[in-house]
Amino acid sequence: MQLNGSDVIVECLLEQGVDTIFGYPGGAVLNIYDALYKYSDKIRHVITAHEQAACHAADGYSRSTGRTGVVLATSGPGATNLVTGIATAYMDSVPLIAITGNVTRNLLGLDSFQEVDICGITMPVTKHNYIVKDPAKLPEIIREAFRIANEGRKGPVLIDIPKDITAAMIEYEKQEPLKSEYHDPDTTEAEIAEAAELIKNCERPFIYAGGGVVAADAVDEMKELVRKCNAPVALSLMGQCAYDNSAENYIGMLGMHGTKAAAKAVSNCDLMIVLGSRFSDRVLCNPNTFAKNAHIIHIEIDPAEIGKNISVYHHVTGDVKHAIARLNELLPDMQHPEWYNEVMGWKRDYEVHMQPIEREDEVLPDQVIAELDRLTDGKAIISTEVGQHQMWAAQYYNFKCPRSFASSGGLGTMGYGLGAAMGCKVGNPDRTVVNIAGDGSFFMNCNELSSLAKHKLPVIELVFENDVLGMVRQWQRLFYGKRFSQTNIERGTDFMKLAEAFGIEGVRITKKDEITDGLKKALEYAAAGRPVLVDVVINKDVNVLPMVPAGADVSQPIMEIDLEN
């Protein structure tokens, strides 16, 4: 049947099971928005205050639901405002479709009003991108984009559509979604079998998992592998909800701000089993000394990551869910009591804690996050901005459920979390969603409080207010002679008045004995369907510990910082 291009776009989205789009209208996408008006009973559109937040919302929606996020923006500045969000999704392997409008085909390349080469701009940060120049190819391109976004290592795909394409009459016939290929079982079988033999013959196994386990929905398979191996477990930042953080054998995050127990396990294991993680520099710290006494098995879907940052003894290139399931079939139940008890001793001896600061009644972030964890039973969806608070969330919230953590790991995008929290809440309306922020990040996206109010999204925005850019300041303290250049922000904003101005609830916590009641009040507001801003006032000298200096051995973290000198 014949439909105009905009109707074809929406019909193709419906084919893919899309029920929500995040975006912001403009001239080049008016035809698409007209179609969305007609299809409003089938697809929900969530408008944000800024296109970047819309892209982060689509990202958070995807991470928390396992479905492909969709964001829509107009040409020129609307499209370029998506770039940081697209790059964030690319670095963290999040399946996302970005649809941008452009000027009509006859105006392309003429520096027309609000024209930009968004395909050229986003080429390094997308798995693939398209500019549609033939109306007849529009359905095929949209279907292929969804397949590419979800095939192999997942990621964002951009489709740039000139305005006259959205008005053209196109032949449309409904099709079933194209299937994505995740692995080739025939080529990985021998690799898996060899990995099983290495695991059977090791004495000190250590399992380290990343975001790939969550992306592959392999959490249950990993849990069974851990049981069979009787191994201690550590996670990357991106893998925080891949394993129950309250489990006895979970020894914390690994890397620059990971636990010393995890670092000692890396240094003393004889076999390190790495599941769906890419060995970022924040994990390796010093690749020349990392796991130097161990054989490393790397199970990873992206062949480009094998041996890229560190040499490994053996690898399995393929879908981690399939690989772990096959390993579980090949492995017997094993016990390593001497090794296991030694690692559990390290976990007790090097428990992560915060240095006290000045006053006994002063609020410490670990107390706030630990109480939030207790009140939500570790089952809330937590998003974060980027900075000290991000590390505190990973260190002190005990994630119990998969797809419960949304944070910018690879790109480190300040301003990511509030948009992501909106997407998480839209995709999971029955779950508690909390965005944990620092005031530095908060000032990058506080305009999105208006989006919470508009859409009545009962997200809890929890801000640690210390009037500094805490993580950068921490580095200045340690490595720049305490020359705190431009990290004391001190904007003088009254957060409670700001909440009132945006039409949302406000809660302020300034003393230790206010933590429980303040968080309970925030959770009650959210349960009643009301968004809330929680202002937690903390000391500017609270630091993230442990901390491995750049280039140092991961097993030698800084455990305390002298605040007097």
Side-chain angles (χ1 to χ4, degrees):
M1 61 178 163
Q2 289 273 315
L3 297 176
N4 69 46
S6 297
D7 288 347
V8 168
I9 292 168
V10 179
E11 288 287 352
C12 287
L13 294 176
L14 290 171
E15 285 179 6
Q16 303 296 325
V18 173
D19 61 10
T20 304
I21 295 175
F22 302 88
Y24 203 100
V29 288
L30 279 177
N31 294 331
I32 301 175
Y33 272 89
D34 195 51
L36 288 172
Y37 183 88
K38 292 186 291 185
Y39 285 83
S40 59
D41 60 329
K42 296 180 179 179
I43 291 186
R44 177 184 184 184
H45 181 277
V46 178
I47 186 173
T48 53
H50 191 283
E51 290 95 346
Q52 182 173 319
C55 199
H56 293 325
D59 174 308
Y61 177 93
S62 179
R63 295 192 204 215
S64 63
T65 65
R67 301 165 71 180
T68 306
V70 180
V71 61
L72 173 61
T74 194
S75 62
T80 57
N81 281 344
L82 297 181
V83 173
T84 298
I86 293 170
T88 300
Y90 181 77
M91 290 291 286
D92 290 344
S93 306
V94 177
L96 184 147
I97 302 296
I99 299 173
T100 55
N102 212 329
V103 298
T104 56
R105 284 174 291 172
N106 64 311
L107 293 177
L108 289 171
L110 302 179
D111 295 329
S112 304
F113 177 68
Q114 291 194 331
E115 180 200 358
V116 74
D117 179 11
I118 194 62
C119 286
I121 290 169
T122 60
M123 190 175 292
V125 292
T126 51
K127 286 189 71 177
H128 194 68
N129 62 28
Y130 304 84
I131 180 166
V132 183
K133 293 188 176 180
D134 181 352
K137 292 183 178 179
L138 179 61
E140 173 191 342
I141 286 172
I142 294 173
R143 291 162 183 151
E144 188 174 67
F146 274 85
R147 178 184 60 77
I148 291 172
N150 287 280
E151 188 169 77
R153 181 174 177 173
K154 300 177 182 182
V157 177
L158 179 135
I159 309 170
D160 192 37
I161 309 175
K163 187 172 183 179
D164 56 319
I165 297 283
T166 66
M169 297 306 295
I170 300 171
E171 185 64 31
Y172 168 78
E173 183 177 343
K174 184 176 180 180
Q175 292 185 12
E176 291 298 312
L178 299 171
K179 290 186 178 181
S180 298
E181 293 296 328
Y182 297 108
H183 63 276
D184 184 348
D186 294 336
T187 61
T188 60
E189 194 61 33
E191 295 172 347
I192 293 169
E194 185 174 343
E197 290 304 310
L198 289 169
I199 296 171
K200 287 177 187 176
N201 293 313
C202 76
E203 295 180 355
R204 300 187 304 280
F206 170 53
I207 293 176
Y208 168 64
V213 172
V214 181
D217 292 320
V219 171
D220 290 340
E221 288 80 0
M222 175 183 160
K223 183 178 180 180
E224 176 64 6
L225 179 66
V226 170
R227 186 194 69 78
K228 280 182 170 284
C229 294
N230 184 228
V233 178
L235 300 173
S236 71
L237 177 68
M238 297 307 303
Q240 275 308 293
C241 51
Y243 191 74
D244 184 348
N245 291 186
S246 64
E248 179 188 65
N249 61 342
Y250 177 63
I251 58 174
M253 187 168 62
L254 177 64
M256 179 176 283
H257 294 294
T259 66
K260 189 167 184 178
K264 287 183 72 67
V266 167
S267 300
N268 290 277
C269 67
D270 64 355
L271 184 70
M272 183 176 181
I273 306 164
V274 181
L275 310 173
S277 185
R278 63 183 180 86
F279 286 117
S280 79
D281 58 298
R282 289 298 175 103
V283 169
L284 292 176
C285 296
N286 185 342
N288 297 318
T289 62
F290 186 84
K292 58 182 180 293
N293 299 315
H295 286 154
I296 298 175
I297 299 174
H298 192 187
I299 302 177
E300 165 63 41
I301 199 165
D302 185 356
E305 293 295 343
I306 305 295
K308 184 175 82 173
N309 295 329
I310 189 171
S311 297
V312 298
Y313 185 80
H314 181 64
H315 66 267
V316 178
T317 306
D319 175 44
V320 69
K321 184 180 181 76
H322 168 78
I324 301 174
R326 284 293 293 130
L327 279 175
N328 290 337
E329 293 172 3
L330 297 172
L331 292 173
D333 290 351
M334 294 168 279
Q335 294 294 322
H336 307 280
E338 186 175 340
W339 163 246
Y340 185 87
N341 290 334
E342 184 177 19
V343 177
M344 291 306 105
W346 296 334
K347 179 179 178 179
R348 291 189 297 271
D349 293 344
Y350 301 112
E351 184 179 1
V352 178
H353 65 278
M354 284 191 169
Q355 288 180 258
I357 306 296
E358 295 177 0
R359 307 189 318 268
E360 285 188 6
D361 66 345
E362 198 160 42
V363 176
L364 288 176
D366 61 336
Q367 300 162 345
V368 177
I369 295 173
E371 184 64 1
L372 178 65
D373 174 54
R374 185 186 73 82
L375 292 171
T376 58
D377 191 27
K379 295 177 181 177
I381 297 176
I382 304 293
S383 64
T384 77
E385 307 295 345
V386 170
Q388 289 179 316
H389 60 277
Q390 179 187 32
M391 297 299 109
W392 295 329
Q395 289 174 332
Y396 298 111
Y397 195 88
N398 291 312
F399 295 93
K400 293 182 179 178
C401 304
R403 298 197 177 277
S404 294
F405 186 59
S407 189
S408 174
L411 195 63
T413 305
M414 291 177 69
Y416 165 82
L418 184 50
M422 289 191 287
C424 291
K425 189 63 183 179
V426 169
N428 303 267
D430 297 328
R431 293 188 64 185
T432 299
V433 177
V434 182
N435 181 48
I436 297 177
D439 48 358
S441 291
F442 176 70
F443 283 114
M444 290 192 171
N445 62 21
C446 63
N447 55 325
E448 295 303 332
L449 295 179
S450 64
S451 300
L452 296 185
K454 172 180 171 51
H455 299 294
K456 297 181 173 59
L457 293 174
V459 168
I460 298 173
E461 170 77 351
L462 192 156
V463 182
F464 288 110
E465 182 188 0
N466 57 6
D467 285 328
V468 296
L469 301 177
M471 186 65 86
V472 185
R473 189 176 189 274
Q474 181 170 329
W475 279 66
Q476 288 174 335
R477 174 184 290 282
L478 289 170
F479 309 119
Y480 291 85
K482 295 197 291 187
R483 294 183 294 277
F484 299 128
S485 176
Q486 301 303 313
T487 48
N488 293 319
I489 52 178
E490 297 174 337
R491 291 189 168 95
T493 303
D494 186 326
F495 285 10
M496 294 301 95
K497 290 182 179 178
L498 189 66
E500 182 181 2
F502 278 113
I504 68 172
E505 302 293 343
V507 174
R508 177 172 281 147
I509 297 172
T510 62
K511 296 185 295 185
K512 187 182 299 185
D513 62 9
E514 296 172 347
I515 294 173
T516 299
D517 287 345
L519 291 178
K520 281 183 176 179
K521 184 182 291 187
L523 289 165
E524 288 168 2
Y525 281 140
R530 291 143 73 181
V532 55
L533 170 63
V534 182
D535 178 22
V536 183
V537 180
I538 63 171
N539 193 299
K540 63 185 177 183
D541 287 322
V542 179
N543 294 295
V544 177
L545 296 169
M547 176 183 179
V548 180
D553 190 317
V554 72
S555 66
Q556 300 297 322
I558 297 169
M559 301 298 286
E560 289 192 357
I561 295 175
D562 185 356
L563 300 176
E564 299 298 325
N565 299 305

